[in-house]
Amino acid sequence: MRRSVVIGCAGYLPENIVSNSELAKQLDTSDEWIQSRSGILKRHIAASNELTSDLAYKSADAAIIASGISVLDIDLIVVATSTPDVTFPATATAVQAKLGAKNAVAFDLQAVCSGFVYAMATVDNFIKSSQYDLALVIGAETFSRILDWDDRSTCVLFGDGAGTVILQAEIGNGDLNDRGVLSTHLHSDGRLHDLLYVDGGPSSTGEVGYLRMEGKEVFRHAIEKMSSVTIEALKANNISADDIDWFVPHQANKRIIDGTARKLGIAMEKVVLTIDKHANTSAASIPLALWTAMSDERIKTGDLVLIEALGGGMTWGSGLLRW
Ligand code: ACO
């Protein structure tokens, strides 16, 4: 059976770091409030001339160098983003040009904070169906550009960044011991649009708009839906939470992650947390967390890794992979 195996992973965070205390100088908030409600200590903010494609390119380039592949062998580039450089063409095509990956097909995918899980599922299906062999799955965001910096209930929660995972086709036995993506489960419910959205766009207001959120409702749906889609992954693979080596959730809020892990019975020692270092980077948060845990040698070849996310739409999903 063809499997999509991780052969490289890297992240990129913009140089400019903004602490909670710095935000509190211009906003009616405090380091104590932000830390206690979200677990966030700081966030990285892209420079004004730094585009989503620049962040994506830097993470992709680092992953390509680390994996030793040739850019000319890349068949497919999928960028999960809700903050594209421009309305069109796709940010993925800008990344393709910057990399010189002239043999690749490149497109964007938009599922907000679930974007990376959706992109991984999409790429895995292209690889499993033998259409492509080598793909970049990128989550990249400049959420700082769509935040209302006067709205303290949202702007303190997000940051900018990018992460890339390289997936390559390998033949496995078709069982749980195979390396690569073992399953993906995706869901959407468009009726929940108003809980988390951007109040603008090309065909509505003609302006980019700002992120709007019903925080308490998002919180409730996040724990419920991320738990259920994780249980779906465990059941589909006939395993229990104890079998997981690393749980890498979307980094939206430490309280959501704690609540979900508790509900699933996953020990906090197995949970990868990066929310404190760079806030919620939306589609970039899972690849950044994978990169962090791989770089500090927690995630090793052969480990069973479970990812999950929820985002605007609402969209949610999970993926099980053996590293
Ligand atoms: N600083 C200080 N006070 C604030 C701030 C702030 N930055 N923001 C809101 N407050 C105030 C509110 O005005 C309110 O004041 P009031 O009681 O006088 O009206 C008070 O703090 C409490 O506000 P709540 O909304 O009740 O705070 P809550 O405990 O629900 O925490 C939070 C808010 C952090 C947004 C929480 O609801 C949450 O995390 N929701 C999930 C949202 C999320 O993670 N979204 C990410 C995108 S979706 C995803 O990625 C899964």
Side-chain angles (χ1 to χ4, degrees):
M1 178 179 183
R2 278 170 70 92
R3 295 288 196 189
S4 314
V5 173
V6 177
I7 59 156
C9 175
Y12 174 76
L13 291 160
E15 274 176 27
N16 180 28
I17 299 174
V18 179
S19 68
N20 293 343
S21 308
E22 280 170 86
L23 277 186
K25 286 181 195 159
Q26 62 204 34
L27 202 64
D28 182 14
T29 188
S30 65
D31 178 40
E32 194 281 328
W33 192 96
I34 301 171
Q35 274 202 49
S36 64
R37 300 295 170 114
S38 70
I40 295 165
L41 307 184
K42 57 188 179 178
R43 70 283 297 136
H44 292 243
I45 303 291
S48 57
N49 62 350
E50 214 174 14
L51 307 182
T52 296
S53 64
D54 294 322
L55 275 52
Y57 162 73
K58 283 181 179 158
S59 72
D61 190 46
I64 289 166
I65 291 169
S67 66
I69 60 163
S70 159
V71 283
L72 299 178
D73 290 336
I74 299 168
D75 299 315
L76 177 64
I77 301 172
V78 179
V79 175
T81 187
S82 302
T83 45
D85 293 1
V86 289
T87 304
F88 82 76
T91 299
T93 56
V95 177
Q96 176 194 20
K98 285 172 190 179
L99 288 171
K102 62 179 186 181
N103 299 319
V105 168
F107 64 88
D108 287 359
L109 187 152
Q110 216 272 53
V112 202
C113 300
S114 311
F116 183 79
V117 180
Y118 270 61
M120 195 180 83
T122 305
V123 168
D124 180 44
N125 280 298
F126 273 121
I127 288 179
K128 278 200 299 217
S129 70
S130 302
Q131 190 160 351
Y132 301 115
D133 291 326
L134 184 60
L136 305 186
V137 192
I138 305 175
E141 304 279 14
T142 47
F143 254 53
S144 60
R145 307 272 159 77
I146 55 164
L147 296 174
D148 176 352
W149 287 99
D150 293 324
D151 177 7
R152 65 178 185 170
S153 69
T154 54
C155 74
V156 302
L157 300 173
F158 297 88
D160 302 336
T164 295
V165 165
I166 306 180
L167 293 178
Q168 186 170 41
E170 274 183 26
I171 303 299
N173 295 322
D175 61 33
L176 196 66
N177 295 318
D178 287 350
R179 285 189 66 206
V181 178
L182 299 172
S183 71
T184 53
H185 291 88
L186 306 178
H187 297 274
S188 318
D189 187 346
R191 293 170 301 178
L192 301 172
H193 167 279
D194 291 353
L195 300 186
L196 182 55
Y197 64 101
V198 168
D199 63 2
S203 107
S204 53
T205 62
E207 289 174 358
V208 172
Y210 293 116
L211 181 147
R212 305 292 173 207
M213 179 174 73
E214 296 288 336
K216 275 196 199 316
E217 276 299 295
V218 171
F219 195 100
R220 190 174 65 77
H221 281 285
I223 294 187
E224 177 199 311
K225 291 183 166 42
M226 288 199 278
S227 301
S228 66
V229 78
T230 301
I231 290 168
E232 201 177 349
L234 296 175
K235 279 191 179 155
N237 291 282
N238 210 12
I239 55 173
S240 76
D242 289 343
D243 297 315
I244 301 302
D245 293 304
W246 297 106
F247 182 52
V248 185
H250 167 50
Q251 310 285 317
N253 183 317
K254 184 167 186 302
R255 290 191 299 151
I256 294 178
I257 296 173
D258 289 347
T260 309
R262 205 175 314 121
K263 203 164 170 179
L264 294 166
I266 297 177
M268 281 315 281
E269 301 84 65
K270 291 183 174 186
V271 180
V272 176
L273 275 176
T274 52
I275 178 84
D276 53 334
K277 294 181 188 67
H278 54 66
N280 181 350
T281 55
S282 192
S285 94
I286 290 177
L288 278 168
L290 291 170
W291 173 56
T292 301
M294 186 195 77
S295 305
D296 64 21
E297 296 181 350
R298 274 179 287 171
I299 297 183
K300 296 188 191 68
T301 302
D303 282 354
L304 204 50
V305 178
L306 186 56
I307 64 172
E308 48 94 313
L310 171 133
M314 297 195 118
T315 56
W316 62 104
S318 62
L320 183 74
L321 58 153
R322 193 173 288 286
W323 201 259

